[in-house]
Structures are given as C-alpha cells and as structure tokens.
Amino acid sequence: MFIKSLIIVLITGSLVMVGYSAVAGRVGEKQKDAAKKAPLVVDLSQLGQQDSQRGYNEAIENAGTENADAVVQEGGQDTLGQPDETDELRMENERILQEAAARGERAYLVNCADSERVTFAFAGDILLDDEYAMMFHYRTRGSDINDTFSAGLLERMRSADVFMLNNEFPFSARGTPTEGKTFTFRANPDNVEMYELLGVDIVSLANNHAYDYGEEALLDTFDTLERAGIPYVGAGRDIDEARKPVYFVANGIKIAVVSATQIERNAVPDTREATAASAGVLRCMDPSALLEVIAEAKASSDFVILYIHWGTESQAETDWLQDKQAPIYAQAGVDLIIGDHPHCLQKLDVESGVPVVYSLGNYWFNSKTQNTCLIEVGIGKEGLEYLQFIPCVQENCRTWQLEGAKKDEVLDYMRGLSPNVHIDSEGYVTFGS
C-alpha cells in the first residue's frame, strides 16, 4: 500500500493506474524485495460488468513480471493480489472480488506467504500525538523505530498478512478540543508514516478519542488514512460508511472485519455517532446497529472478526456490559471478538464457541509501565486454526516482546485471569467448546 506516485495509462478504454510502492505489500508479504515490485491498480468501478473480468486479467498481464503484485481498486479501494497463484485459487479470489465490487464492498486481496492460512495480528491502543510522551520520546531518541519496538515484535507485525490496531486519536491540524474533556488527542497527519514502519494494514476508529477535535478533524483522519492506503473501520463520513465492514480476500477465503464502540456510555457522548448527514463513529451501547452489521458481514463472508471498544478503564475484570454483550455477538455469528479500551489486559475466554480477547491493553500509548500483548491468529478454510497470546511490555515509552522469566510471568497472570481456557508455554490458547 502506501502508494507514492501514480502513472495513468489506458487499458481497454478504462482507467488504470500503475502505482509504485515505497514499501510494497503492507497488505501482503511485507518483505524487503517487495519494494522492487510495481503494483498495478485497476479501478473496477469504472468497468462494466462484462468488461471487469477482462480488465482484471489484462492488468495482471501488463504487470510485466510473474511476481508483480496486482492491485485492484474497487469503488476507490485498493487491493493487493498475487498473480502467480494456482489458477484455481486465483479464479476463486477473482470471483469473490468481483462479487464484492458488484455489492460496493470494501474488499482487499491479500498476498499471503502461506497459501493455506491467513495470519492476522492485533494490537491495542496507539497514540501518535506529538504533545504526549510517546511521540516526544520517539523524536528525542532520533525517531528510531528499532529503538521503540523490539526486533522480534517488529518482525511479527510486519510479517502478519494483516496487522490491525486501534487508532485512538484523529490525524489533523484542524478543529478545537472537546470542551470539558480531560484528555484530547490530535496527531500531525505526517505521523501516519509510522504505520508504514510498523506494517499496519487496517485501523479501527471506533473509539472515544476519534472525535476529540470535532468533525473536521475526523474528516481529515479519513483523508490521511486513505492517502496512506490504510483501510479504517468503525467510523465514516456518514452512518452508511461507519457501518461498512472491511473485507480481506486470501486463499479463497473472505474475512470480514467490523468495529464499534460503547464508549462513552451516556445519552449525549462527546464522541458523536455518525448520521445520514454527519461524520462520526458506529456506537454499540445499544447493540442493534452492530448486530445488523454483523448479519451483513456474516452473509457475505466466511469468517467475521469483531474489534470492539468496550469495558472499564484500568479494570482487569470485565464489566457488566462486556459480560452482557459478548454472548450476544457470539450468537449473532462473529467468529472472533477482539476488545480494547480498558488500557490494561483482561481475560481470554470463549462464548458459544467463539474466542474472546476482552482487552488487548495499551500497545504504545502512554509512559506507564504496563504488560500488554500482540495477538496473532491463523485462519484457514475451516475457520480459526490457532490463536497466540504474545506477551509484551510497554515501558519507558517503548514496547518490547518479553522472553524468559518475564514472559512466563505474564502468561501466568493471564492464566489466572482466564480459567476457561488453556494457555501453553508459548502463548497458544486452547478455547474448547
């Protein structure tokens, strides 16, 4: 993703853009040699139903090498694919993408390192506001990402087929802070470059800080992420966009990501819900709207991931609304629930056969020393193949993957919080039924 320049050419009378990526494969292999590839961007929304398949095939042929990534743009969204797949798998991916385009869905073709499995990695809250500790220390230490995240953790983030975290702020230089709010965040749009360094592929905006500087700052956030080629979910320019899932297509599997926030829990929240005429987030204190989104995603995909902003800050125990809603969403058809907002780790559990990570904790958010994690999952044609809890620590404005005794200590802590699951010595979790 992170397309730096575009050369416009014509193929079969339709608009095609050839984009050269500085670090190709942000949704893909994320290997250094991928930077030499020239992804091809095809706007399928400009093609007629009969022409779209031909346009796709011709685009791949014109990529020039069998290893070049094919980037298919549908309704303004980019997707990265792999033209050297087996014919059968390639045709299945193309079919899924064509159907998604016809429905106006945001669908992205993922170039996986493993043809049998799609790997997702999930992290919690991140803050890129220069006025707060994390970015201040990052700058004073020479803006060195290798001195900010441990090497093994960087490798895991970058090598995941899809890496997702919570964008707990707007990207903007505009707007005014929400009156009376204790903490308001706003990041320089240029700081989105950090996401390229980390390998971020998608972010959630369904949180209680996305609207800290009002609607115009949230609108700038959409623009910033779109320019960087990073999909977002859980917020939008109107309620239709805020409700839209993001879909990833890989290995003949279609995976949906949906997101919403319960916070703040009052009748007139500072963080506005999107409407038919205004930008905002998707709220789910009343789960009705989110349940409709889940139903839509379930009907259109093989696997549904819910990334939800819920819980009580700094409380390791789950609260009443988490306990009430987790079974509702599990029974509605989601296949994995990933939670954030409490700023600390909470239990791993299972609801109606659905794994639930109740809180990821802070990932790189404030100057506190706190245990945190990266969650990695593998998804195959039969569903979830594994979930691994990777112990980390946020300390001195750095985040490191833990090893040895400290790793064991965090795993033991999670075992104490999570009596209904089994966590082995490497963090692999068995959820049972």
Side-chain angles (χ1 to χ4, degrees), residues 13 57 84 100 114 116 143 216 221 285 322 344 374:
N57 293 336
D84 58 349
D114 187 336
E116 300 297 323
S143 301
E216 60 184 357
T221 304
M285 189 166 180
Q322 289 173 291
C344 63
L374 187 73

Side-chain angles (χ1 to χ4, degrees), residues 146-171:
N146 297 297
D147 187 42
T148 306
F149 293 85
S150 60
L153 197 54
L154 281 171
E155 175 59 24
R156 282 185 175 273
M157 290 185 282
R158 292 167 176 170
S159 62
D161 295 319
V162 179
F163 174 40
M164 181 176 187
L165 49 69
N166 178 43
N167 194 107
E168 184 92 335
F169 57 88
F171 281 110

Side-chain angles (χ1 to χ4, degrees), residues 207-401:
N207 59 64
N208 57 304
H209 287 286
Y211 208 86
D212 277 1
Y213 277 73
E215 184 177 15
E216 60 184 357
L218 181 57
L219 292 170
D220 289 344
T221 304
F222 303 146
D223 292 341
T224 298
L225 291 167
E226 287 166 359
R227 284 194 297 269
I230 299 176
Y232 54 85
V233 66
R237 294 177 176 86
D238 55 36
I239 189 59
D240 288 341
E241 183 181 1
R243 289 167 57 114
K244 272 195 170 186
V246 167
Y247 297 94
F248 294 98
V249 179
N251 301 336
I253 308 166
K254 186 178 181 184
I255 300 167
V257 180
V258 302
S259 189
T261 176
Q262 298 175 355
I263 314 298
E264 303 88 5
R265 293 171 172 175
N266 54 60
V268 187
D270 292 326
T271 305
R272 304 289 178 83
E273 182 166 26
T275 70
S278 62
V281 301
L282 177 61
R283 292 183 55 78
C284 64
M285 189 166 180
D286 174 350
S288 301
L290 179 54
L291 288 171
E292 291 177 1
V293 173
I294 291 169
E296 172 191 337
K298 188 69 175 178
S300 183
S301 63
D302 303 300
F303 194 93
V304 180
I305 299 167
L306 169 60
Y307 191 104
I308 184 169
H309 208 67
W310 61 359
T312 301
E313 290 189 12
S314 304
Q315 179 175 299
E317 298 78 19
T318 56
D319 67 24
W320 68 276
L321 199 50
Q322 289 173 291
D323 295 339
K324 178 181 178 180
Q325 287 196 355
I328 294 173
Y329 299 135
Q331 293 162 18
V334 300
D335 298 289
L336 175 64
I337 300 174
I338 303 287
D340 71 320
H341 174 67
H343 300 298
C344 63
L345 295 172
Q346 292 184 333
K347 68 179 179 179
L348 309 174
D349 210 339
V350 60
E351 289 287 352
S352 301
V354 175
V356 184
V357 179
Y358 275 90
S359 177
L360 296 163
N362 286 338
Y363 193 58
W364 194 68
F365 187 75
N366 58 25
S367 58
K368 292 181 180 179
T369 297
Q370 292 179 288
N371 292 328
T372 183
C373 71
L374 187 73
I375 295 291
E376 183 179 298
V377 304
I379 302 169
K381 287 188 176 295
E382 302 303 317
L384 187 71
E385 295 185 351
Y386 72 86
L387 185 149
Q388 186 180 15
F389 176 96
I390 300 162
C392 304
V393 64
Q394 175 193 268
E395 183 178 19
N396 196 22
C397 296
R398 297 180 173 98
T399 300
W400 301 92
Q401 183 176 340

Side-chain angles (χ1 to χ4, degrees), residues 33-46:
D33 61 352
K36 300 177 182 179
K37 300 175 183 176
L40 206 67
V41 181
V42 183
D43 188 351
L44 292 186
S45 67
Q46 302 295 319

